[in-house]
Each structure stands twice: as C-alpha cells, then as structure tokens.
Amino acid sequence: MQGTEKEYMEARQQRSKTLKKIMSLVGVVSFGGTALFGMANMFKTAFQESQQVETVEVVSVEERLQKLEKGYEKVLEREPENVTALEGLVKVRLEMGDKERAIAPLEKLVNFYPDREDYKVVLEQVRLEVKENN
C-alpha cells in the first residue's frame, strides 16, 4: 500500500506543480496585458493632449497680439503722443507680420524724437522689407 500511496502523493504533487505553473503563467500574461494596455492608453492620451495644447497656444498667441494691438490703439486715441503705446503698437504689429501698418506709428516716433537713431533704423528696415514684398 505504501507504493500506491507514494505514487498517489507524487502524482498529486505533480498536478499541483502543473496547476501552479499554469496559474502563474495566467497571472503573468494578465498582468502584462493590463500593463501594456494601460501604457498604450497613456501614450495615446498624452499624444492627443500635446496636439490640442499646441493648437490652443497658437490661437491664444494670435488672440493675445490682437488684444494688445486694440489696447494700444485705445490708449493712442486718448493720448496720441504716448511713446510707450506707440512702441508697443509697433512691436505688436511687427510680431503679427503686419509691417505696412507698423510704419505709421514708427513715423510718429521718428517725428517726436528725431535724434533717436534706433527709431530711424527700424523705420528704414521696415520700409525696405515692405518694398521688397510688393
């Protein structure tokens, strides 16, 4: 009887080992699949968010420049000789790529301060660029 009992115990241990291996394999595959799915979802979401952020930034920069331009124009309606507003308007229009409209406030700055060489240089550069583009 001891032989049969021993064989039974060995067979039982073998089945137990096999069952443990199968359960371990199922656990590892499940964990790996879940981790991969989570990581793929994370990268997908991050990629979509980065595209949305870039679009929002571009729109917000353009809107910000337009708001700044309107603000400087309102100041200049009340105070036509406000140097800070004139300089800001020139800068904003140049950032927007609107060089033709930057010439008028630059001319005012040169007229108000004829001894300022920096205003004259910028005015001449802008005029040349406008002529080259036309």
Side-chain angles (χ1 to χ4, degrees):
M1 220 168 162
Q2 281 189 334
T4 310
E5 206 173 293
K6 191 175 183 181
E7 289 174 3
Y8 171 76
M9 290 301 286
E10 287 177 3
R12 186 170 181 215
Q13 286 178 345
Q14 187 64 31
R15 276 185 267 146
S16 179
K17 285 182 182 179
T18 305
L19 188 58
K20 285 180 184 179
K21 287 181 182 179
I22 291 172
M23 294 303 288
S24 296
L25 182 62
V26 168
V28 168
V29 169
S30 298
F31 177 76
T34 303
L36 285 175
F37 180 75
M39 289 174 58
N41 200 14
M42 178 182 70
F43 285 120
K44 178 183 170 188
T45 304
F47 180 71
Q48 288 174 346
E49 286 177 1
S50 68
Q51 286 180 336
Q52 291 172 351
V53 168
E54 289 173 8
T55 305
V56 169
E57 286 177 10
V58 169
V59 171
S60 66
V61 169
E62 291 174 4
E63 288 176 0
R64 183 183 61 83
L65 289 174
Q66 289 173 353
K67 287 179 183 178
L68 283 171
E69 181 184 30
K70 289 177 184 176
Y72 288 130
E73 288 172 346
K74 286 180 182 180
V75 170
L76 289 170
E77 287 174 9
R78 293 183 306 239
E79 306 170 39
E81 297 180 13
N82 186 318
V83 176
T84 305
L86 284 168
E87 288 176 344
L89 185 60
V90 169
K91 183 179 176 184
V92 167
R93 287 183 177 170
L94 290 175
E95 285 182 34
M96 292 171 60
D98 194 353
K99 294 175 184 174
E100 288 181 32
R101 291 183 56 220
I103 292 174
L106 269 169
E107 288 174 341
K108 286 182 183 180
L109 285 169
V110 169
N111 289 335
F112 293 148
Y113 300 97
D115 56 325
R116 294 274 309 257
E117 289 297 319
D118 55 338
Y119 291 153
K120 292 177 185 177
V121 169
V122 173
L123 177 61
E124 288 305 314
Q125 287 176 344
V126 172
R127 283 182 177 162
L128 285 174
E129 290 177 16
V130 167
K131 282 183 183 178
E132 289 175 1
N133 291 334
N134 289 334

